[in-house]
């Protein structure tokens, strides 16, 4: 069996009220592993829980927009309808996606802390 990365046992005594408070804070942070929670709190002083559901929805909407835009571009290239406007939409979308990507990278950095 491989040797554990964390091979030192740390034992902490708490009252029932303290344990209840710890469990409540763990639930608020969305953490279920007490060891991970206590280690994070001891080393960094805080646990940051970020709800990324709205960001996931934004990414989903962006993907749908990209799909729609590609369908319009294919139609425009096939039929010859307003290719300049389609090119402008593609540029705008590319710029928008770049900004969304930057926000996602920043959020990922915050979550890693």
């Amino acid at each position: 069996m491989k040797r554990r990365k964390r091979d030192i046992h740390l034992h902490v005594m708490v009252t029932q009220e303290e344990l209840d408070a710890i469990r409540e804070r763990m639930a608020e942070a969305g953490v279920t592993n007490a060891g991970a929670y206590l280690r994070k709190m001891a080393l960094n002083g805080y646990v940051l829980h970020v709800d990324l559901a709205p960001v996931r929805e934004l990414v989903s909407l962006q993907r749908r927009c990209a799909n729609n835009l590609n369908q319009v571009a294919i139609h425009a290239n096939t039929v010859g309808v307003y290719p300049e406007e389609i090119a402008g939409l593609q540029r705008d979308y590319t710029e928008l996606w770049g900004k969304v990507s930057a926000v996602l990278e920043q959020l990922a950095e915050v979550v890693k802390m």
Side-chain angles (χ1 to χ4, degrees), residues 31-51:
V31 178
T32 57
N33 184 319
Y37 176 80
L38 293 171
R39 192 169 36 255
K40 184 78 169 171
M41 289 299 293
L43 295 173
N44 298 332
Y46 64 94
V47 174
L48 180 62
H49 177 68
V50 179
D51 181 14

Side-chain angles (χ1 to χ4, degrees), residues 3-21:
R3 193 165 157 81
R4 291 178 173 222
K5 179 180 177 182
R6 294 181 178 93
D7 60 349
I8 299 172
H9 181 81
L10 179 63
H11 183 82
V12 178
M13 298 293 290
V14 295
T15 65
Q16 185 60 49
E17 293 80 21
E18 290 170 332
L19 180 60
D20 292 341

Side-chain angles (χ1 to χ4, degrees), residues 1-2 5 12 14 18 25-26 32 34 39 41 48-49 53 55 59 61 68 72 75-76 81 89 102 104 106 108:
M1 184 169 157
K2 290 185 179 179
K5 179 180 177 182
V12 178
V14 295
E18 290 170 332
R25 290 190 181 130
M26 284 175 56
T32 57
R39 192 169 36 255
M41 289 299 293
L48 180 62
H49 177 68
V55 175
V59 169
L61 290 171
N68 292 341
V72 170
H75 179 73
V81 179
L89 287 172
L104 292 175
Q106 290 174 352

Side-chain angles (χ1 to χ4, degrees), residues 40 44 46 48 50 105-113:
K40 184 78 169 171
N44 298 332
Y46 64 94
L48 180 62
V50 179
E105 288 174 11
Q106 290 174 352
L107 282 173
E109 286 299 316
V110 168
V111 171
K112 279 196 291 188
M113 298 175 111

